[in-house]
Amino acid sequence: AEQMLELRRRAQDAVAELESSPRGELVIAANEATCIYVLPKVFSKYRQLFPAVQIQVLRSYGARVVEAVMENAADFGLTQLPVEEKRIQVVNIYHDEIRLIVPARHPLADQKSVLPQDLVEHFLILPKQGKTRARLNEWLEPVEDELRISMELDSTEMMKRFVMAGLGATFLAVSNCGEEMAAGKLRAIPLAPEPMVRRLGLIYRKDKALSKAALGFIQVVLDHVGEEASVGR
């Protein structure tokens, strides 16, 4: 039944391609932060160019974004790189930086950078899972037995709220904290000795035939996501 529904959707999209204005449907898989900070402006611009294409968002996390694309539950995914799946085509979109996020009056707020040893006296709020958590585990390994982990959360917004409430420091992409930093509520401190750079990619199946609507989505993402990311930094 699922195969029949997928074939039906492909057939509808193919027929729609015969019309002057592309129609059909695009399903995009992405995590919460990407849905909030990347996709709204992308969708706004895309709707201007392709008003007859229906867009759906499949909120997913980490490896589940790749699975959704591989299972044809989503046409595209936006996820942190690298992606190991060989049957996936990856379009590099932009990069930003994972930093320590603290309240403006936190004892570490004025530091130019932080080492793992600087954090042992402070409560931490960590992402529950995903590529960022794996990289943080590696970075924090020298002091893992001394860490004071107060919470593990899977929501960027919750992590920011709890940091502003004074419940601990966390680690987030700088582009996800732009408004709070501009308002003086949060500070972002680079990790040392090397910055932790995060790369975001647009992914889709290599064997997937791309419609005009799909190609247009790729172009809109390339034109606008990189621009937004540079503004966020």
Side-chain angles (χ1 to χ4, degrees):
E2 291 178 353
Q3 291 177 343
M4 290 299 295
L5 289 172
E6 173 62 19
L7 287 172
R8 180 174 179 272
R9 188 162 74 88
R10 288 186 180 184
Q12 290 174 332
D13 290 347
V15 172
E17 285 297 297
L18 301 177
E19 303 181 17
S20 58
S21 178
R23 297 176 181 272
E25 176 185 278
L26 287 181
V27 181
I28 316 299
N31 66 17
E32 177 201 60
T34 303
C35 291
I36 294 173
Y37 297 106
V38 176
L39 292 180
K41 291 185 178 180
V42 168
F43 287 167
S44 177
K45 181 62 178 179
Y46 186 80
R47 178 57 54 84
Q48 295 176 24
L49 299 173
F50 299 92
V53 178
Q54 182 180 1
I55 298 175
Q56 293 190 20
V57 177
L58 179 63
R59 183 181 170 190
S60 304
Y61 294 94
R64 182 59 193 142
V65 173
V66 178
E67 292 174 6
V69 171
M70 287 306 304
E71 295 169 1
N72 278 320
D75 299 293
F76 292 102
L78 282 93
T79 188
Q80 189 174 165
L81 303 179
V83 171
E84 304 298 335
E85 172 59 61
K86 302 300 183 183
R87 293 169 292 174
I88 288 287
Q89 182 67 49
V90 176
V91 181
N92 285 282
I93 298 176
Y94 77 91
H95 67 273
D96 60 5
E97 188 176 339
I98 302 294
R99 293 186 179 183
L100 179 72
I101 306 299
V102 299
R105 296 185 180 181
H106 192 275
L108 298 175
D110 294 325
Q111 298 251 132
K112 292 184 178 180
S113 64
V114 291
L115 291 163
Q117 293 80 2
D118 297 325
L119 304 179
V120 296
E121 297 180 1
H122 304 281
F123 285 106
L124 298 179
I125 300 171
L126 297 181
K128 184 176 292 186
Q129 57 189 352
K131 285 187 171 66
T132 297
R133 176 59 188 267
R135 297 177 69 187
L136 288 171
N137 286 345
E138 184 178 349
W139 183 73
L140 292 166
E141 186 176 3
V143 295
E144 62 180 342
D145 294 332
E146 305 172 67
L147 294 177
R148 305 171 71 184
I149 300 174
S150 61
M151 296 181 182
E152 294 179 307
L153 302 171
D154 59 6
S155 166
T156 297
E157 288 303 296
M158 288 176 65
M159 292 167 74
K160 287 195 299 185
R161 293 288 181 180
F162 289 158
V163 169
M164 288 188 287
L167 297 176
T170 193
F171 302 87
L172 292 172
V174 177
S175 58
N176 294 349
C177 306
E179 292 182 10
E180 293 83 2
M181 290 167 59
K185 297 178 180 178
L186 294 176
R187 299 279 183 87
I189 308 164
L191 307 186
E194 299 293 334
M196 187 176 291
V197 177
R198 182 189 74 150
R199 295 187 297 128
L200 186 69
L202 178 71
I203 63 172
Y204 58 93
R205 288 178 59 131
K206 288 181 177 179
D207 61 357
K208 193 176 188 68
L210 296 177
S211 63
K212 290 181 181 179
L215 291 169
F217 183 78
I218 293 175
Q219 192 60 54
V220 170
V221 169
L222 290 174
D223 287 346
H224 294 276
V225 173
E227 173 186 330
E228 293 299 323
S230 63
V231 171
R233 290 196 298 273

